[in-house]
Amino acid sequence: MSWSMMSRSFQRLAMAGVLAGAGCVLAMGPAEAGNTPPKTVPVRLLSLNDFHGNLEPPTGSSGRMVDETGATVDAGGAAYAATHLKQMSDKNTLKVAQGDLIGATPLISAAFHDEPSVEFLGKVGVTASAVGNHEFDEGYAELRRIMNGGCHPVDGCSPAGEWKGADYSYLGANVIFKRPTQSAERQALDALGGKNTTALRDLLKEYGIPALPPVAIRWMNGVPIGFIGLVTQTTPNIVTAEGIKDLEFIDEVKAANVASKLLRIVGVRAQVVLVHEGDQVTAGQSPDACSAQPGAGNRIATQVDAEIDMILSGHSHQAYLCTVTDPKGGTRLYSQGGSFGRVITKVDFRVDVKTRDVVRSSVVADNQVVTRTVTPDPEISAFVQTWKDRVASVANKPIGKITADIPNTASASGESPLGNLIADGQLVAAKTGGNAQIALMNPGGVRTGLTYAGSPAGEGDGVVTYGEAFAVQPFNNLLQVVTLTGAQLKTVLEQQFTGGPNNQAFTKILQPSSNFTYTYSASAPWGSKVSNMKIDGVDVTDTQTIRVAANNFLVGGGDAFLAFRDGTDLWSGPLDIDAFAAYFAANPSITPPVPNHITVVP
């Protein structure tokens, strides 16, 4: 939703509030009489989360899902999702999403800055979505372009012509400006009902000036439904710092409560949170089971204002349907629908026409697997094929060969053959110009393995295409080099483990280049876990300086590796995918590295 669209919505609702205060009847239907139960109207929500640009059916484990019977079935793909959405839709339906619709996407979408994926979501009728952390992968300015339109400032227009902007609203109630300008403040006030509205002005003072629309309001069967968008407050730790340097990501609960007040001011009582944060589950459960293990998502679901009727979540790529207790003891839905377009969450409920609030006892939810046993939607099939044809010349270009599978599966030490290979390639690319001595790669940036059989053709000749390499590293991060002392490098490695001041959520072992070795003890206290660091077999001292190559996500302190920010003499080089492709060009036949650079002791 643009700010101007939001302004019109709020002006309409503000007028409704004035009429209500004057004693006018707001219900759009026959008057109630006697003891007749309050009239209700039906609403259906269909939601997606963490689509990640999977226009084509995802492959491997990413393209399978456990269904309600416990069977593992093939799932996902835009054309199949479109068919399921049509079959599940009725005249009472609103379609929404919970973020990460774009970013970390396959080449068919990423090559065109995800415009194809956003267009697809508009075609199937998504009306509002929370932003996810991956919506910020290319920075706030690029997100605004995706929302509002215009050609990419560097790459220009896609083959489809000038980008028209998203057909749905991106929402982020907990994304605020660090240093808002007066024009941003005026724009927000105007959009939220007018600069002379004292209550709205007070709300903005309470939590800041939003950088994105915090809420969207949609009318269904004569009643307004309010959607509050939230993104994980850990976003600054998991996206590139430069792209969000002007933004602050505040506590989700605080922001949701302010947004709820905002909706109440204009008379919206039926309130739904779309939040890009969620929990892990017990593996192998039905998508309809409440298998979520209480964590960050559950905290939000149980602590946001009792006025909020349900919480649809994302981020953790899991499927669950839970009932949680709100702060006043009421019950409400807390759900998530997997990832990659493999599950659609259907929520049916009724809204009281007189109170305009959700009748929570009427809420019925179902996580429906997007099976591939249905006929794919012909319009979306043709749409996907068009973009597949447009990207084919790039995707199918061979860049080298491998002699066997190179998996991204972690060994006992936490390093993987593919992680080591990427780090080796980055070290070579950063030596000239950056004077790199070692390289470190974040494991979360290695998205899939390389197979000897290849994909999708499966010839079994070991050929690696650009498209396959891109699937491994889809983020378009810059390769950078900084100078760290030996002591600072040790701190970086200590930050791989939980228990330290950087609040690492779980152990994340950085993938080292082959010339860097060290030892760690998982049982040792934080700060004393890492020892015996060597570069090319030579001991590292605390005082020596080391040129360390890493992507700009890590250099900016991503994944809670805050000690990288202490680096000096920053050098920026090529994109990580270009460094990877160049390494294949220089080494036409690559044997899988042995992940034995880290020694683990008790």
Side-chain angles (χ1 to χ4, degrees):
M1 175 186 286
S2 68
W3 282 114
S4 60
M5 290 171 62
M6 176 176 282
S7 179
R8 290 193 292 272
S9 295
F10 271 87
Q11 288 167 3
R12 179 183 180 188
L13 282 160
M15 180 59 69
V18 170
L19 292 174
C24 296
V25 176
L26 292 178
M28 299 184 182
E32 315 294 348
N35 295 321
T36 303
K39 181 179 178 181
T40 62
V41 292
V43 178
R44 171 172 291 180
L45 302 182
L46 299 178
S47 79
L48 289 166
N49 60 275
D50 298 272
F51 181 65
H52 286 291
N54 278 269
L55 296 172
E56 296 182 273
T59 59
S61 61
S62 296
R64 296 190 289 269
M65 196 75 199
V66 175
D67 68 12
E68 294 87 343
T69 70
T72 298
V73 299
D74 291 335
Y80 296 104
T83 295
H84 282 275
L85 284 166
K86 282 184 178 179
Q87 292 176 347
M88 296 164 66
S89 296
D90 61 20
K91 64 180 181 180
N92 310 308
T93 299
L94 294 169
K95 297 165 189 165
V96 295
Q98 292 92 261
D100 275 11
L101 306 180
I102 60 176
T105 52
L107 190 61
I108 187 175
S109 183
F112 309 105
H113 298 281
D114 287 323
E115 291 173 18
S117 292
V118 177
E119 184 177 354
F120 157 70
L121 293 161
K123 283 180 176 292
V124 296
V126 171
T127 185
S129 175
V131 288
N133 54 284
H134 280 288
E135 264 79 14
F136 294 94
D137 278 353
E138 294 190 55
Y140 174 67
E142 172 63 4
L143 173 58
R144 296 290 304 191
R145 185 190 74 84
I146 288 295
M147 293 168 63
N148 300 323
C151 296
H152 191 271
V154 176
D155 295 334
C157 294
S158 82
E162 183 174 356
W163 174 239
K164 305 302 182 185
D167 288 333
Y168 56 91
S169 306
Y170 264 127
L171 311 175
N174 64 324
V175 185
I176 65 174
F177 288 114
K178 287 181 179 177
R179 294 170 292 277
T181 63
Q182 287 187 343
S183 62
E185 184 172 357
R186 283 196 302 271
Q187 186 182 42
L189 283 167
D190 289 343
L192 301 178
K195 47 183 109 169
N196 295 321
T197 306
T198 302
L200 294 174
R201 186 184 293 109
D202 289 344
L203 276 182
L204 292 181
K205 288 180 180 178
E206 181 178 345
Y207 90 127
I209 304 301
L212 295 167
V215 299
I217 299 161
R218 299 292 184 262
W219 291 79
M220 178 56 65
N221 292 328
V223 295
I225 313 296
F227 297 97
I228 300 168
L230 302 168
V231 61
T232 172
Q233 65 177 318
T234 68
T235 295
N237 292 332
I238 50 179
V239 302
T240 302
E242 179 65 21
I244 58 168
K245 63 183 179 181
D246 297 324
L247 306 179
E248 183 179 354
F249 295 77
I250 66 174
D251 178 76
E252 304 96 339
V253 173
K254 176 183 177 181
N257 291 348
V258 173
S260 178
K261 290 179 185 177
L262 178 62
L263 290 172
R264 288 202 300 272
I265 286 172
V266 292
V268 179
R269 298 294 305 281
Q271 299 183 9
V272 178
V273 159
L274 308 173
V275 56
H276 191 72
E277 182 61 281
D279 293 324
Q280 298 301 316
V281 301
T282 304
Q285 300 294 302
S286 163
D288 291 336
C290 182
S291 55
Q293 301 168 0
N298 182 271
R299 180 187 75 88
I300 297 165
T302 56
Q303 292 184 14
V304 294
D305 196 290
E307 184 74 23
I308 294 167
D309 298 292
M310 62 190 72
I311 292 87
L312 309 184
S313 72
H315 189 49
S316 59
H317 290 202
Q318 307 300 330
Y320 49 80
L321 295 176
C322 296
T323 299
V324 297
T325 303
D326 69 29
K328 290 187 177 178
T331 59
R332 58 187 174 197
L333 174 68
Y334 168 47
S335 71
Q336 188 176 161
S339 63
F340 306 150
R342 294 175 296 169
V343 174
I344 297 167
T345 302
K346 180 178 74 171
V347 185
D348 286 307
F349 58 95
R350 301 191 72 86
V351 178
D352 188 303
V353 174
K354 182 178 291 186
T355 66
R356 293 188 168 188
D357 208 351
V358 172
V359 180
R360 293 197 193 177
S361 61
S362 71
V363 176
V364 177
D366 183 20
N367 271 338
Q368 296 201 11
V369 176
V370 177
T371 60
R372 300 180 198 165
T373 56
V374 299
T375 302
D377 183 271
E379 178 188 355
I380 299 302
S381 293
F383 172 79
V384 173
Q385 186 62 48
T386 295
W387 287 103
K388 188 175 179 180
D389 293 342
R390 286 168 174 167
V391 80
S393 60
V394 177
N396 296 333
K397 181 181 178 181
I399 63 170
K401 286 189 174 184
I402 56 178
T403 62
D405 291 354
I406 306 182
N408 63 333
T409 305
S411 65
S413 66
E415 55 184 322
S416 72
L418 188 52
N420 292 154
L421 176 64
I422 291 170
D424 285 344
Q426 291 183 346
L427 177 59
V428 170
K431 277 185 175 179
T432 302
N435 300 314
Q437 296 168 267
I438 66 169
L440 295 170
M441 175 65 189
N442 56 307
V446 188
R447 304 301 282 191
T448 188
L450 291 174
T451 60
Y452 184 80
S455 175
E459 297 90 347
D461 59 3
V463 171
V464 176
T465 65
Y466 184 84
E468 291 166 346
F470 188 90
V472 172
Q473 290 191 101
F475 296 105
N476 279 319
N477 285 321
L478 279 175
L479 180 58
Q480 296 185 320
V481 181
V482 292
T483 297
L484 296 174
T485 66
Q488 289 170 332
L489 176 59
K490 182 178 183 300
T491 299
V492 167
L493 298 179
E494 291 284 340
Q495 290 179 342
Q496 297 175 124
F497 305 97
T498 60
N502 59 319
N503 293 318
Q504 187 67 272
F506 51 89
T507 296
K508 298 176 183 177
I509 300 300
L510 296 173
Q511 309 295 289
S513 53
S514 298
N515 68 327
F516 178 54
T517 61
Y518 67 93
T519 299
Y520 76 75
S521 169
S523 63
W526 196 93
S528 301
K529 293 179 179 292
V530 174
S531 62
N532 200 30
M533 295 188 299
K534 296 178 185 291
I535 299 175
D536 296 317
V538 179
D539 289 337
V540 173
T541 67
D542 285 349
T543 57
Q544 78 178 89
T545 57
I546 305 159
R547 296 289 284 166
V548 181
N551 58 48
N552 60 320
F553 167 68
L554 276 177
V555 170
D559 268 347
F561 287 99
L562 305 184
F564 260 115
R565 297 179 182 176
D566 297 328
T568 57
D569 301 322
L570 175 69
W571 174 86
S572 292
L575 292 174
D576 53 4
I577 179 61
D578 292 338
F580 196 39
Y583 192 69
F584 272 97
N587 300 274
S589 183
I590 291 177
T591 299
V594 178
N596 60 357
H597 310 102
I598 302 173
T599 300
V600 182
V601 298

